[in-house]
Amino acid sequence: MSEPLNHDDQRMSLISPESHVEGFRKARDARRTELIEDYVELISDLIADGGEARQTDIAQRLGVAQPTVAKMLKRLDEEGLIIKRPYRGIFLTPKGEALADASRQRHRIVEAFLIKLGITPETARVDAEGIEHHVSAETLAAFEKFLSQS
């Protein structure tokens, strides 16, 4: 384990260009998938709660306009994550459900970790919503290990 940084007498050195590129590439990739994961997770939750997900429900829950939802649903359909049934609603494919489950599990781990650190449950829930999409598998495994030891 590395020693904590003492800001009085140490400065972080600039990381290598390769590390910078890798860090920014991962962040861009996470931002691209973040919306997709949020949509499939919400669709899964709506189906579990009421048997189907409707475009109006998705727009209301995400606080966006219906045309925004329609555009994303088209993308999810093209990626094989959902099935749109006219006059019935939106349903997840097995691929979509697997993505929703993975996102939900990451959220639960991050939220539990934050609560264990002393963050209030409400703040942990909100913060986990952003962190869950950007956390690496290695960090997530460390969170799980920490939680299992305490």
Side-chain angles (χ1 to χ4, degrees), residues 13-80:
S13 61
L14 190 60
I15 62 173
S16 72
E18 294 81 15
S19 292
H20 253 147
V21 168
E22 180 63 14
F24 284 114
R25 184 194 62 74
K26 283 185 176 183
R28 281 190 307 274
D29 290 346
R31 281 192 294 274
R32 271 194 290 275
T33 62
E34 185 172 353
L35 268 178
I36 291 171
E37 290 175 347
D38 284 344
Y39 270 79
V40 297
E41 191 175 352
L42 176 58
I43 291 167
S44 176
D45 291 344
L46 289 169
I47 292 168
D49 184 62
E52 70 178 5
R54 297 177 310 148
Q55 185 171 314
T56 56
D57 297 330
I58 295 167
Q60 180 185 29
R61 296 277 180 159
L62 294 177
V64 298
Q66 286 197 44
T68 302
V69 174
K71 183 177 176 183
M72 178 56 82
L73 292 177
K74 183 175 188 275
R75 181 176 174 192
L76 296 176
D77 188 31
E78 290 168 355
E79 293 194 23

